[in-house]
């Protein structure tokens, strides 16, 4: 079981590396969104410092949707998905491995790049820590929730937009507690651990439920 | 593909694919209605019929990739109830990733399809990736990315997948598409070898498979079973 998970995980990582795309593309998109924020709201340092964590989280949320629509689509088109159905290994495990690989190549780089981009939004050390920690804890949930949308829209040619419409409402709790954790770290009335624990709990619940939901959707095609 | 180095196990009597009263619907129309046949170990069933007669639908339904409306598909004597896990399914979409090399693609499916080991009743008969590639005459492109292969070569890599993880039932949808005559002969040998080991093949094709010992299932507008 573990070996099947690792097999799929390593294959996906290898494909992502050869593609040389989606991971770095997400980070560049993230950077673009962060860069245009001061142009929209004005270069007031106090304002940027206050809305910075929220902007970073919104940007990361949108960037994490990039490439997610292809999570199962490529496999459906080339017949790999049929083979996954025929294996001893449960489809849920393959879904989980694909999500883990997608997070490694797309979600993790966002979290790691966020302190750099946070500097552009006038964030201090504590706030940067809050953003990185909350993104590390929250992006797995974004990937896993996105996997449900990706699985539900796998047969649609232009499923990306529909997937975003399906996924974004489900991602609202992650956004709420992610931003409040980041704000709390920057100095607020709530202790950092309160929203952060809830954020971790959301990720764990997503980890437990989403692979089953996505696999169930994939079985319907 | 030669069987000389592998233990010959007589599974002819042990294995049986039983299909009874199979109905499959696609959309609103019933493509396959009340179809039944029994295939014993070592036998090959050739499914023929005009385009749209339901050949691919039948294979996908047998593999469990399409929901069966009614009826029974059971692989008896394989030690496991689930047909899907005892089945190799080969269709137009070959499950190969263009970015990975030929050997990486095959190694992945070898690992993944036999991750839980062979079924209890079968001795391990998996062929190594290198040997499978040699069998289809592609040893020299093992390190090349699949993207640069021709259509026929990709098909041969897909055929090699059937060999790297042993499964008793092969469901082949137009397996000979794009193959040159030398490759067809090699694949005919591989199929004969698979049957000699007690495996079963259900192949949907318009072309001769390259060996005679086949039964035929003719799908038409009115479905009939014609067994020789």
């Amino acid at each position: 079981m573990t070996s099947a998970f690792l097999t799929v995980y390593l294959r996906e990582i290898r494909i992502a590396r050869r593609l040389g795309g989606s991971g770095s593309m997400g980070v560049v998109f993230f950077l673009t969104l962060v860069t245009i924020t001061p142009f929209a709201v004005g270069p007031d340092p106090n304002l940027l410092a206050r809305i910075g964590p929220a902007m970073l989280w919104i940007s990361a949320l949108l960037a994490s949707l990039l490439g997610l629509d292809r999570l199962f689509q490529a496999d459906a088109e080339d017949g790999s998905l049929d083979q996954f159905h025929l294996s001893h290994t449960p489809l849920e495990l393959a879904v989980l491995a694909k999500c883990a690989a997608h997070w490694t190549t797309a979600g993790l780089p966002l979290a790691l790049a966020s302190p750099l981009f946070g500097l552009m939004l006038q964030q201090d050390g504590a706030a940067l820590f809050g953003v990185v920690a909350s993104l590390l804890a929250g992006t797995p949930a974004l990937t896993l929730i996105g996997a449900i949308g990706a699985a539900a829209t796998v047969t649609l040619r232009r499923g990306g937009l529909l997937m975003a419409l399906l996924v974004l409402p489900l991602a609202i709790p992650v956004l709420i507690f992610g931003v409040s954790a980041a704000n709390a770290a920057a100095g607020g009335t709530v202790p950092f651990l309160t929203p952060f624990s809830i954020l971790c709990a959301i990720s764990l619940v997503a980890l437990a439920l989403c692979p089953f939901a996505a696999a169930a959707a994939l079985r319907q095609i | 593909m030669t069987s000389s180095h592998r233990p010959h196990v007589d599974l002819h009597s042990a294995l049986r694919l039983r299909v009874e009263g199979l109905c499959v619907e696609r959309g609103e129309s019933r493509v396959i209605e009340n179809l039944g046949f029994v295939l014993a170990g070592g036998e090959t069933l050739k499914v023929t019929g005009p385009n749209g007669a339901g050949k691919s639908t039948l294979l996908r339904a047998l593999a469990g990739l399409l929901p069966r409306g009614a009826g029974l598909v059971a692989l008896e004597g394989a030690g496991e109830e689930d047909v899907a896990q005892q089945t190799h399914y080969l269709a137009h979409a070959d499950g190969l990733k263009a970015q990975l090399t030929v050997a990486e693609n095959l190694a992945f499916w070898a690992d993944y399809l036999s991750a839980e080991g062979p079924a209890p009743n079968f001795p391990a008969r998996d062929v190594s990736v290198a040997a499978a590639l040699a069998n289809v005459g592609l040893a020299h492109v093992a390190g090349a990315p699949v993207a640069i292969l021709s259509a026929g070569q990709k098909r041969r890599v897909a055929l090699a997948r059937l060999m790297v993880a042993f499964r008793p039932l092969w469901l082949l949808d137009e397996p000979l598409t794009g193959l040159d005559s030398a490759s067809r002969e090699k694949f005919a040998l591989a199929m004969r070898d698979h049957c000699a080991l007690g495996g079963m093949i259900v192949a949907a094709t318009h072309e001769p498979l390259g060996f005679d010992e086949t039964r035929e299932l003719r799908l038409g507008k009115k479905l009939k079973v014609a067994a020789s």
Side-chain angles (χ1 to χ4, degrees):
Chain A
M1 207 72 109
T2 331
S3 78
F5 178 88
L6 267 182
T7 311
V8 178
Y9 179 80
L10 293 175
R11 171 192 193 236
E12 294 299 320
I13 295 276
R14 202 175 270 161
I15 293 171
R17 225 180 46 214
R18 301 256 167 95
L19 272 178
S22 52
S24 50
M25 213 48 148
V27 175
V28 173
F29 186 64
F30 188 26
L31 172 65
T32 313
L33 289 174
V34 170
T35 314
I36 61 174
T37 306
F39 291 106
V41 302
D44 174 17
N46 292 330
L47 178 65
L48 285 179
R50 208 174 70 238
I51 65 166
M55 288 316 302
L56 285 166
W57 252 93
I58 291 176
S59 306
L61 172 60
L62 295 178
S64 75
L65 285 178
L66 272 192
L68 204 54
D69 58 322
R70 293 291 294 166
L71 187 60
F72 302 114
Q73 218 163 40
D75 281 337
E77 282 163 10
D78 69 19
S80 299
L81 205 53
D82 288 341
Q83 301 299 323
F84 284 139
H85 282 297
L86 298 179
S87 173
H88 297 265
T89 313
L91 189 58
E92 286 79 2
L93 194 73
V95 168
L96 187 61
K98 285 182 73 73
C99 289
H102 187 271
W103 180 77
T104 314
T105 53
L108 185 61
L110 294 181
L112 296 180
S114 61
L116 203 62
F117 301 165
L119 289 176
M120 298 165 64
L121 295 177
Q122 205 68 31
Q123 302 296 300
D124 59 18
L128 290 178
F129 163 76
V131 168
V132 177
S134 60
L135 279 178
L136 275 177
T139 41
L142 295 181
T143 301
L144 287 159
I145 293 169
I148 302 178
T153 58
V154 69
T155 50
L156 303 177
R157 273 259 158 256
R158 296 262 170 97
L161 191 61
L162 181 60
M163 193 209 74
L165 291 177
L166 287 172
V167 165
L168 283 175
L170 295 173
I172 289 174
V174 185
L175 188 68
I176 291 173
F177 289 103
V179 174
S180 35
N183 278 330
T189 48
V190 198
F192 170 70
L193 269 183
T194 312
F196 187 73
S197 310
I198 299 178
L199 184 64
C200 292
I202 294 175
S203 272
L204 289 175
V205 170
L207 182 67
L209 297 183
C210 291
F212 291 95
L218 289 176
R219 286 205 179 93
Q220 296 307 311
I221 59 166
Chain B
M1 190 163 166
T2 55
S3 59
S4 54
H5 60 290
R6 285 186 253 131
H8 183 91
V9 182
D10 184 35
L11 295 169
H12 290 63
S13 51
L15 264 184
R16 194 182 294 270
L17 174 70
R18 183 185 294 279
V19 179
E20 279 171 16
L22 181 66
C23 298
V24 185
E25 283 166 17
R26 305 228 57 183
E28 295 297 301
S29 66
R30 184 164 277 197
V31 182
I32 291 173
E33 190 156 18
N34 205 16
L35 177 80
F37 63 84
V38 175
L39 198 64
E43 284 188 322
T44 298
L45 183 69
K46 187 175 159 183
V47 184
T48 57
N51 296 131
K55 300 189 292 294
S56 299
T57 303
L58 171 63
L59 291 192
R60 288 187 71 82
L62 288 179
L65 295 170
L66 277 180
R68 301 167 193 137
L72 168 90
V73 176
L75 195 61
E76 296 167 357
E80 276 189 58
E81 293 301 306
D82 198 351
V83 181
Q85 297 172 4
Q86 300 297 329
T87 297
H88 265 308
Y89 173 74
L90 177 81
H92 172 67
D94 43 25
L96 302 174
K97 290 288 175 197
Q99 303 89 2
L100 301 182
T101 68
V102 172
E104 282 169 347
N105 266 298
L106 276 183
F108 170 74
W109 288 121
D111 282 353
Y112 193 76
L113 293 175
S114 54
E116 301 291 297
N121 284 8
F122 297 102
R125 269 192 245 104
D126 301 354
V127 175
S128 76
V129 168
L133 276 176
N135 277 338
V136 294
L138 286 178
H140 59 290
V141 293
V146 165
I148 66 162
L149 298 190
S150 75
Q153 284 174 320
K154 277 182 198 160
R155 179 40 61 115
R156 276 148 74 186
V157 178
L159 294 178
R161 191 189 73 222
L162 304 177
M163 303 164 197
V164 292
F166 179 82
R167 297 197 160 191
L169 179 60
W170 287 5
L171 300 175
L172 312 175
D173 197 351
E174 298 291 352
L176 303 174
T177 313
L179 291 186
D180 56 28
S181 57
S183 306
R184 282 174 191 226
E185 273 168 34
K186 274 186 182 147
F187 186 56
L189 262 177
M191 286 194 287
R192 213 173 301 162
D193 196 50
H194 181 68
C195 289
L197 284 166
M200 291 170 291
I201 299 174
V202 179
T205 180
H206 296 286
E207 298 160 80
L209 282 174
F211 60 109
D212 306 326
E213 316 89 55
T214 56
R215 293 166 60 195
E216 189 170 336
L217 173 68
R218 206 167 292 137
L219 297 181
K221 286 210 173 76
K222 280 273 177 198
L223 290 170
K224 281 181 197 135
V225 178
S228 63

